[in-house]
Amino acid sequence: MRLIFIGPPGAGKGTQAARIVERFEIPHISTGDMLRAAVKAGTPLGKLADIAMKAGQLVTDDLMIGLVQERIGQDDAKKGFLLDGFPRTVPQADALQTALASHNVALDAVLVLEVQDDLIVDRITGRRTDPETGAIYHMTFNPPPADVAGRVTQRKDDTEEACRARLESYHRQTSPLVPFYEGLGLLKRVDGVGKPDDVTARIQTALG
Ligand code: AP5
């Protein structure tokens, strides 16, 4: 199964991806997580990415395409994958189509998680992550359990200002992927509002 999750920041892509990869036993390839690991490790890519991410801007297509081409060529991705956060621009989507064709494989579905802008800022500013397990929580909607609460962290780009910049970037640079994948007959729209379990059920229905 080769899947892509698209959606605005805070739509629930990471939350839902963790559940879907378990079901299909495929790797979760999150370009945001890959970039945050590079920032933490202080690599040249991490230093470039850090500036863009803090400002809520996209990292350049060249860097991202190289990163993902290499990742989907690894052994664990041969049986399939779920891409979360890539592609984010039409040039990235074009490059992915070319890379998949060169491996003689194709996408099964592209899911767009739809959440309106006025719900996004609350979701983003309330998000906390467990640095030990990667689990995603929300201080109101899904608070961390007592034994985890003391160690959760907040992402540097989860300020209200950066969130608004990320939303603007989503509408301008990423939302054109919706008609792109609709044109390829791959797009499935999923309502991302409601309880996380309900959203998971909608995704499973959309995937058949
Ligand atoms: P990335 O890490 O991909 O961030 P994003 O797309 O902005 O998405 P988020 O991780 O913020 O949100 P999500 O949809 O995963 O939501 P989550 O499940 O956590 O990218 C970060 C940055 O890296 C980018 O800004 C860019 O700079 C760079 N980058 C990455 N990929 C790139 C690329 N391809 N090209 C260029 N640059 C790239 O949920 C959010 C919160 O809501 C959580 O607290 C959660 O508990 C809560 N929540 C989830 N579901 C629900 C629900 N149903 N109801 C209520 N609350 C919910």
Side-chain angles (χ1 to χ4, degrees), residues 76-156:
D76 67 334
K78 297 222 157 73
K79 60 183 174 177
F81 49 74
L82 191 167
L83 278 172
D84 161 8
F86 185 96
R88 247 177 165 96
T89 63
V90 171
Q92 291 183 15
D94 281 331
L96 180 64
Q97 290 299 107
T98 306
L100 293 174
S102 77
H103 292 290
N104 282 320
V105 294
L107 293 169
D108 292 289
V110 177
L111 286 96
V112 55
L113 281 181
E114 298 180 316
V115 176
Q116 63 267 34
D117 287 6
D118 57 353
L119 297 178
I120 294 292
V121 176
D122 271 357
R123 282 197 186 189
I124 288 289
T125 54
R127 172 169 48 195
R128 299 292 183 275
T129 309
D130 180 350
E132 284 185 21
T133 63
I136 301 167
Y137 297 101
H138 189 283
M139 296 315 284
T140 309
F141 309 132
N142 175 28
D147 58 331
V148 173
R151 64 170 188 248
V152 294
T153 56
Q154 185 170 26
R155 274 170 44 176
K156 285 190 252 179

Side-chain angles (χ1 to χ4, degrees), residues 8-15 31-32 35-36 53 57-59 64 85-86 88 92 123-124 127 136-138 141 155 157 166 192 194-196 199:
K13 302 181 295 295
T15 301
T31 45
L35 292 172
R36 281 183 287 279
M53 290 168 83
Q57 306 299 326
L58 295 187
V59 175
M64 296 312 302
F86 185 96
R88 247 177 165 96
Q92 291 183 15
R123 282 197 186 189
I124 288 289
R127 172 169 48 195
I136 301 167
Y137 297 101
H138 189 283
F141 309 132
R155 274 170 44 176
D157 60 345
R166 285 156 62 196
K195 292 189 187 133
V199 178

Side-chain angles (χ1 to χ4, degrees), residues 6 109-112 177-179 181-189:
I6 294 176
V110 177
L111 286 96
V112 55
L177 295 181
V178 170
Y181 285 117
E182 209 156 30
L184 295 178
L186 291 168
L187 192 83
K188 295 180 188 298
R189 293 173 189 271

